[in-house]
Amino acid sequence: MRKKVVFGLLIVAVLVSIYPEIRESRFGSCVAYALGGLRDVASERSQRFLGKVSEDTARCRGGEAAVAWRKTPWIDWPQYWSAGGEQSRFSGVVSGFDILSPNTRGINGALLDLEYQRMELIKFNLFDNHGAYEEYFRGLSGTSGRLANTWPQLRLPTEHALFAAAGGNGPQKCSGEMIRFRTLTGICNDILNPLMGSVDQPFARNVEFESTFPEISPDEVVKNRHGDRLGLLKPDPQLISRKLFTRRQLSPDNCNDGEGPAGHSLEVNCDYHKANHINVLAAFWIQFMTHDWFSHLEEGRNQAGTIPLGCAMQRIDNVEQRLTQDQVADFRCRPEDRIDKSLVAHEAPAPSFAVNGKQRLARAPKTTLNTVTAWWDASQIYGYNEISQRRVKRDARDSAKLLLEATSASAAGQPGYLPLLQSSDPQNPQWAGQEAVAFPDNWNIGLSFFHNVFAREHNYFVDAFRRQAAAHPDADSGLRDPAQPTKSIRNKDVTDTELFEITRLVVAAEIAKIHTIEWTTQMLYNEPLHLAMNANWSGLLQEHPLAGAALEEIVQRFAGSADGKKSTAWYSAFAAGPGIFGLGNGKSDVNGGVHHFGSPFNFSEEFINAYRLHPMVPDVIEFRDLRRDPNTVAAKIAVVNTVRGKATDAMRQRGIADWALSLGRQRGGALGLRNHPLFLQNLAMPRIKSSTGKVDVLALDIIRDRERGMPRYNEFRRQYGLKQLTRFDDFIDPRLPKESPRRAEQQELVAQLREIYGQHRCDAAKIITRSQRSDDRGEINDCLGNPDGTMVDNIEDVDSLVGWLAEFVRPHGFAISETQFQVFVLNASRRLFSDRFLTSSFRPEFYTHFGVKWVNENGPEGKRMEKGNPNGHEMEVSPLKQVLLRTIPELKAELDPVINVFDPWARDRGEYYSLQWKPRPGAETDAAFKAK
Ligand code: HEM
């Protein structure tokens, strides 16, 4: 029988290769694709997958539309069957075997492509700035670099108070109290690398060091790429902001740069491009997250000394010219704006090492420090150093709790609000009057909302723990003291100090879960990403725990393998089976589940670039009143009137429930060009004593990226394993009909890009990159496929932020671009893989039995399921919905139909990943559905 099957397959293979008509059928393509087997992970950077598949593979997974898409620079999988909305599902006759159906092939193919991308990202995009890179690089060709898991650079220094306790000058290993809970400064998360992820460690890079700081690079290839066209203020950042970022207004007076007409806040109206499936909570959530993960500023400040932000030059007919006063007035930019320079850790020439006669940089030419912990440890709430911790207020009546104060807006019997910063608290003067939290910078109503919610959740957990402890005082809590690991700690013996720290662990893990399976799946709203993100968290084999456990065994063997390929690429691929969260928590080694893939963990500078998501914020919030009529907009409130200290009154007078309703119902801003908040172009910046007193934060976004050496867009894409663009017109969505208004709009923006970044006469003798090859495998030169000596677009000079905002082509349901997504694929996986408390130390010894159950089941009530099958899945009541139901119970009726808290609350989610803007039953009168 087996022989017959093999023989049959051989015949089919021969027929497929002889007769093109069979091969070009879906059947033939699938056979050819299947016989081709799995591709190897690239052995060299320039041979990467690029998200582009063969013609057979494309046809088999997505039909002719997917085949046609191969010509574009954009990744292929979004064109596969079922990877988009309803229209992407195969509607013809489907085989009886689900596994062979086009829809299944499409989804599995997409997941496979995503996994290849991740394996290659792990292989090619880890660049450590602590000084461990040389060893890593040398080991890449063998095995040792990728197998390294302890680094001398991450030892506690002699002056550290815990130096001796960690092992002093001998081998260092954290133990005892140092490993029980998340530490304030983030040390000892990895027991063997005490400093990893702790405060003030250097940001990593995801791109070759040689590709960073293109403005000052001595590298011939980089010079070939950009000529002398780049500088900190070249092209002019404020001009980029005004021409490419400004939201266009139908009635500018009603908006008044985001402030509304003076004294008439009800009339304020600012137009913006709205994302149908993302609400304003999603915008502030991500700001809340970034404050946990990274910061470049110290206590809200940068270096002493200021720099200008442009509004000086513009390119006319390809020549840079000084702006006249009239032009300055026309553009409404401000030449006198100033900002403090970015902090820098190292700027002495970077050390280098020789490989095969060529020098390689051992770190980036300049480095900066992450001034908060890189762990997902809720440090924005609890603190990351001694100074920030002094702002965090504990309840004097119960030290396990955070302090919340009753105010006039607190509902009877409900928790109150965060207390305010006291004059004795460490603070930057511009934070005066704000609520007291560890990370207070760029404060606003949305941050106030999430900080209040999770302070309430903290206290709710403490009360719930105490209730179950009172019911079962002698039961084993699960908690262990590492000094006496075999002695069980009874519920009644858990101290207040321990309970505070357990609660921090639980709250941080809940936040990580919300972000992974709720925020991200809504921002990337399609089936492959729903599956991929849930796989990251709880595995693809949730319904098959035995298979999951078996696979976890295999994954752990890969981790210990002496073969670099198995210990990295295979490890990451197979981890999707059991899931990354909790990986290794069944083993005795509490550190045994972490995996750094040979390179110490910290976020990269590129990750910060990808999180410059300011367009998600509207200028004006449509305020609603829960008790009157949730469908009516009762007031319009300029966001700028809720910024910094102004958030306090807004929150306390109007109340958290109405803010939840308002931010939950309103659509967030779409991430694209000409959609930045106007108020951020004109933000008051009192700490800088400039004559304008203001700063254009959007121009600052561009400047900060340049200060930190972001490669410009096209090389950024190549470095991340994505296909380069060859001209500005590549941004235009090729599927749009010639005469469509959207195409016209995109063409107009492309013309603006050309005006700002310009063109040059190309020289085919100049090689401009080593990180990618052209389609014919040749070296890529300055002409990018155009005839030598012709005028070509300066596509190489486009700032990364501008480039990814200009990606009009997006996978279905993607609020972000594919370029940003690539950054997230790598870093989002790493921040789970590397964190002991989200892998092997997610266990009762640290979290207690009660805490583990709380995280797994989204609270104390046990698993609850939503009605129906949203997008074809049985869905648990989402973790953030459960948090909101506990902390703001007034929202019960409003939240009842909500499946994902980051989807506008009154939107009808419709069928299979619908993006339509339609009211759900009961919200038909909501004015938001009438307005354009
Ligand atoms: C009212 C809302 C907001 C205000 C007033 C604000 C203000 C600012 C300012 C002034 C900076 C520049 C700091 C500097 O480099 O000197 C900044 C940076 C930044 N903002 Fe915002 N922002 C807001 C909302 C958001 C949101 C919703 C996001 C979404 C993720 C975000 C992400 C970032 C990031 C990633 C940076 C760079 C941080 C770093 O360099 O470490 N911001 N913001």
Side-chain angles (χ1 to χ4, degrees):
M1 175 67 186
R2 220 171 128 212
K3 272 189 191 154
K4 277 189 189 160
V5 172
V6 172
F7 185 64
L9 280 175
L10 265 176
I11 300 247
V12 172
V14 172
L15 288 175
V16 161
S17 57
I18 294 176
Y19 295 104
E21 54 280 26
I22 298 186
R23 178 150 195 173
E24 280 162 24
S25 71
R26 240 182 16 247
F27 169 73
S29 286
C30 286
V31 172
Y33 155 49
L35 290 175
L38 293 179
R39 68 189 309 279
D40 258 345
V41 175
S43 53
E44 268 184 42
R45 176 176 304 279
S46 62
Q47 292 167 354
R48 286 172 78 162
F49 164 47
L50 307 181
K52 306 299 285 180
V53 295
S54 73
E55 185 175 333
D56 287 320
T57 307
R59 184 173 291 110
C60 178
R61 294 173 178 175
E64 295 312 314
V67 172
W69 196 253
R70 294 174 61 251
K71 288 200 207 84
T72 73
W74 315 110
I75 50 176
D76 284 336
W77 67 257
Q79 308 309 315
Y80 299 166
W81 277 299
S82 280
E86 186 62 35
Q87 75 296 341
S88 71
R89 301 176 94 176
F90 182 78
S91 52
V93 180
V94 171
S95 102
F97 295 108
D98 185 47
I99 195 158
L100 296 179
S101 82
N103 290 326
T104 311
R105 291 201 305 266
I107 295 298
N108 289 346
L111 290 174
L112 206 57
D113 284 7
L114 287 167
E115 195 48 63
Y116 271 114
Q117 296 273 36
R118 180 160 77 178
M119 288 193 282
E120 289 196 355
L121 285 163
I122 287 174
K123 180 165 180 182
F124 292 112
N125 291 82
L126 301 182
F127 296 88
D128 166 70
N129 256 330
H130 288 87
Y133 179 68
E134 181 179 346
E135 183 200 358
Y136 172 80
F137 180 85
R138 290 189 188 285
L140 271 186
S141 47
T143 52
S144 58
R146 285 197 276 167
L147 292 179
N149 60 10
T150 46
W151 295 273
Q153 295 86 352
L154 297 172
R155 294 165 57 87
L156 292 182
T158 39
E159 64 276 14
H160 196 285
L162 294 174
F163 172 73
N169 287 319
Q172 289 196 348
K173 184 172 180 183
C174 303
S175 58
E177 282 304 309
M178 295 154 82
I179 69 164
R180 283 197 84 181
F181 300 113
R182 290 193 178 275
T183 57
L184 175 64
T185 58
I187 61 163
C188 295
N189 185 312
D190 183 326
I191 290 172
L192 301 173
N193 295 287
L195 278 189
M196 190 186 292
S198 66
V199 67
D200 291 335
Q201 295 302 302
F203 280 111
R205 306 292 315 211
N206 288 156
V207 295
E208 289 173 292
F209 295 135
E210 287 76 9
S211 74
T212 63
F213 297 90
E215 296 82 359
I216 53 168
S217 173
D219 187 332
E220 205 52 39
V221 168
V222 180
K223 286 181 169 170
N224 286 348
R225 191 184 311 143
H226 300 293
D228 60 356
R229 301 185 298 267
L230 304 186
L232 188 61
L233 298 178
K234 242 165 96 176
D236 192 290
Q238 277 198 64
L239 232 61
I240 292 178
S241 163
R242 297 289 162 170
K243 287 186 173 182
L244 292 174
F245 293 169
T246 304
R247 281 180 179 155
R248 299 272 167 102
Q249 299 301 313
L250 274 177
S251 9
D253 289 348
N254 279 6
C255 179
N256 190 21
D257 289 338
E259 291 192 38
H264 295 283
S265 67
L266 265 174
E267 286 170 28
V268 61
N269 182 54
C270 294
D271 297 318
Y272 67 111
H273 293 297
K274 303 173 178 96
N276 284 355
H277 67 294
I278 297 293
N279 61 18
V280 181
L281 281 179
F284 291 120
W285 172 268
I286 189 57
Q287 193 188 15
F288 179 57
M289 287 301 90
T290 62
H291 291 176
D292 181 352
W293 301 328
F294 58 78
S295 173
H296 281 89
L297 279 68
E298 260 174 20
E299 290 292 288
R301 288 187 203 87
N302 298 289
Q303 273 191 57
T306 61
I307 48 171
L309 289 99
C311 186
M313 306 291 287
Q314 81 168 320
R315 186 181 272 264
I316 298 178
D317 296 334
N318 238 355
V319 181
E320 290 277 339
Q321 300 181 14
R322 192 151 282 286
L323 287 179
T324 64
Q325 277 194 341
D326 286 351
Q327 286 166 335
V328 167
D330 281 353
F331 288 125
R332 305 184 64 230
C333 58
R334 292 179 301 269
E336 306 308 325
D337 273 14
R338 293 288 179 275
I339 194 69
D340 40 7
K341 280 196 272 180
S342 206
L343 293 164
V344 180
H346 291 287
E347 50 189 334
S352 62
F353 57 96
V355 184
N356 300 333
K358 276 171 74 182
Q359 288 298 120
R360 288 195 73 97
L361 293 178
R363 67 156 166 79
K366 294 184 195 177
T367 62
T368 66
L369 302 182
N370 188 349
T371 58
V372 298
T373 61
W375 304 118
W376 224 335
D377 56 0
S379 58
Q380 78 278 41
I381 301 174
Y382 298 101
Y384 39 88
N385 57 18
E386 186 271 327
I387 294 178
S388 61
Q389 193 188 34
R390 274 164 53 205
R391 288 188 281 268
V392 181
K393 305 278 178 284
R394 302 269 278 264
D395 190 334
R397 293 157 302 178
D398 180 347
S399 65
K401 287 188 173 174
L402 291 166
L403 179 62
L404 290 171
E405 296 175 343
T407 72
S408 55
S410 322
Q414 291 302 317
Y417 290 85
L418 286 164
L420 304 192
L421 284 168
Q422 301 299 302
S423 54
S424 54
D425 288 334
Q427 60 179 296
N428 185 321
Q430 74 190 27
W431 302 335
Q434 286 182 200
E435 286 159 305
V437 298
F439 193 100
D441 211 21
N442 299 330
W443 190 250
N444 57 57
I445 193 66
L447 292 175
S448 167
F449 176 77
F450 282 117
H451 273 273
N452 273 294
V453 163
F454 284 98
R456 288 177 174 205
E457 175 72 355
H458 178 107
N459 290 356
Y460 196 103
F461 180 88
V462 170
D463 284 335
F465 185 92
R466 292 240 178 80
R467 272 196 302 276
Q468 65 90 35
H472 310 284
D474 294 317
D476 178 4
S477 67
L479 188 69
R480 294 291 179 271
D481 180 347
Q484 297 169 284
T486 52
K487 183 171 173 259
S488 65
I489 298 177
R490 292 171 303 181
N491 272 329
K492 68 178 181 195
D493 297 329
V494 173
T495 66
D496 287 351
T497 308
E498 286 166 345
L499 185 51
F500 181 86
E501 297 299 344
I502 293 162
T503 312
R504 175 179 184 173
L505 276 171
V506 168
V507 168
E510 270 189 312
I511 287 176
K513 184 173 185 183
I514 291 166
H515 187 84
T516 307
I517 64 166
E518 193 164 356
W519 185 83
T520 309
T521 54
Q522 195 60 34
M523 291 288 288
L524 310 171
Y525 192 48
N526 60 40
E527 179 71 0
L529 266 297
H530 171 86
L531 294 174
M533 295 318 297
N534 280 285
N536 259 7
W537 191 262
S538 38
L540 285 170
L541 299 169
Q542 277 176 75
E543 268 107 65
H544 308 283
L546 281 181
L551 204 52
E552 177 158 352
E553 192 68 36
I554 296 172
V555 171
Q556 290 306 337
R557 278 201 209 141
F558 284 152
S561 168
D563 177 341
K565 193 165 167 185
K566 286 189 183 150
S567 76
T568 56
W570 290 21
Y571 179 89
S572 73
F574 280 85
I580 306 173
F581 183 70
L583 202 60
N585 63 0
K587 304 276 167 230
S588 58
D589 180 0
V590 297
N591 206 51
V594 298
H595 203 318
H596 312 302
F597 302 98
S599 189
F601 169 71
N602 209 309
F603 291 112
S604 65
E605 298 280 11
E606 290 70 31
F607 185 69
I608 284 85
N609 161 275
Y611 270 110
R612 295 191 181 278
L613 303 181
H614 289 130
M616 291 180 76
V617 182
D619 280 287
V620 176
I621 290 170
E622 294 164 357
F623 192 80
R624 296 159 190 270
D625 185 332
L626 190 65
R627 277 143 304 181
R628 289 208 189 127
D629 177 10
N631 289 335
T632 301
V633 174
K636 299 248 192 114
I637 300 173
V639 175
V640 69
N641 287 330
T642 75
V643 162
R644 300 182 183 135
K646 290 182 183 166
T648 305
D649 277 354
M651 176 53 76
R652 290 177 167 214
Q653 284 169 13
R654 294 182 183 266
I656 197 165
D658 285 349
W659 281 112
L661 170 70
S662 310
L663 303 175
R665 282 228 177 173
Q666 187 174 343
R667 281 175 286 176
L671 281 160
L673 292 176
R674 292 216 184 119
N675 202 25
H676 276 77
L678 297 174
F679 78 91
L680 283 183
Q681 272 175 334
N682 305 291
L683 192 69
M685 196 56 81
R687 74 185 161 82
I688 308 289
K689 310 276 178 259
S690 69
S691 61
T692 62
K694 290 183 178 181
V695 72
D696 180 339
V697 177
L698 319 181
L700 185 56
D701 273 337
I702 298 281
I703 291 180
R704 291 291 188 234
D705 277 351
R706 293 180 186 171
E707 279 184 295
R708 293 164 195 161
M710 211 52 55
R712 299 286 170 111
Y713 176 70
N714 229 17
E715 182 62 15
F716 189 100
R717 275 181 67 85
R718 295 185 195 108
Q719 287 283 332
Y720 268 100
L722 293 170
K723 223 174 156 181
Q724 65 174 11
L725 273 59
T726 57
R727 55 205 178 115
F728 295 130
D729 297 78
D730 285 345
F731 282 119
I732 297 170
D733 188 340
R735 294 162 298 190
L736 290 175
K738 287 260 172 313
E739 306 305 325
S740 79
R742 277 181 58 211
R743 177 177 275 262
E745 192 189 337
Q746 293 180 6
Q747 281 168 330
E748 202 256 312
L749 278 162
V750 159
Q752 286 282 296
L753 284 172
R754 194 166 284 125
E755 190 178 297
I756 292 172
Y757 289 98
Q759 295 187 312
H760 72 280
R761 195 165 297 286
C762 75
D763 178 352
K766 289 183 171 168
I767 303 304
I768 61 163
T769 185
R770 300 185 191 94
S771 56
Q772 198 166 100
R773 291 192 162 246
S774 58
D775 287 344
D776 59 10
R777 309 297 310 142
E779 289 193 300
I780 294 172
N781 66 49
D782 185 39
C783 291
L784 292 166
N786 296 291
D788 193 13
T790 53
M791 291 298 280
V792 297
D793 286 341
N794 292 338
I795 181 86
E796 297 300 329
D797 300 351
V798 173
D799 291 273
S800 293
L801 170 64
V802 173
W804 53 250
L805 284 170
E807 287 181 26
F808 306 119
V809 172
R810 305 255 165 112
H812 175 89
F814 264 42
I816 59 168
S817 63
E818 68 169 43
T819 305
Q820 285 167 289
F821 174 62
Q822 194 78 345
V823 182
F824 299 157
V825 170
L826 177 59
N827 291 281
S829 305
R830 287 230 331 141
R831 72 184 165 218
L832 292 177
F833 276 126
S834 282
D835 190 331
R836 170 166 67 92
F837 288 108
L838 300 178
T839 52
S840 40
S841 288
F842 176 68
R843 52 171 82 198
E845 289 92 316
F846 300 101
Y847 283 74
T848 71
H849 292 300
F850 189 70
V852 165
K853 193 165 173 307
W854 188 288
V855 177
N856 283 335
E857 299 184 351
N858 303 331
E861 302 88 1
K863 271 201 175 148
R864 291 172 49 215
M865 303 306 286
E866 290 290 357
K867 293 188 268 311
N869 272 338
N871 296 322
H873 297 285
E874 286 190 346
M875 298 271 287
E876 281 179 53
V877 176
S878 80
L880 184 54
K881 177 165 162 180
Q882 298 270 44
V883 170
L884 293 185
L885 288 170
R886 282 194 285 276
T887 54
I888 317 176
E890 307 93 294
L891 293 173
K892 178 153 188 354
E894 175 69 20
L895 281 177
D896 194 47
V898 170
I899 301 291
N900 185 309
V901 171
F902 300 110
D903 199 341
W905 290 2
R907 183 177 89 97
D908 186 338
R909 282 178 50 112
E911 291 304 307
Y912 199 70
Y913 299 98
S914 160
L915 303 177
Q916 278 195 349
W917 185 238
K918 287 201 327 207
R920 62 158 168 72
E924 293 85 354
T925 57
D926 185 332
F929 293 93
K930 299 202 181 79
K932 279 196 182 157

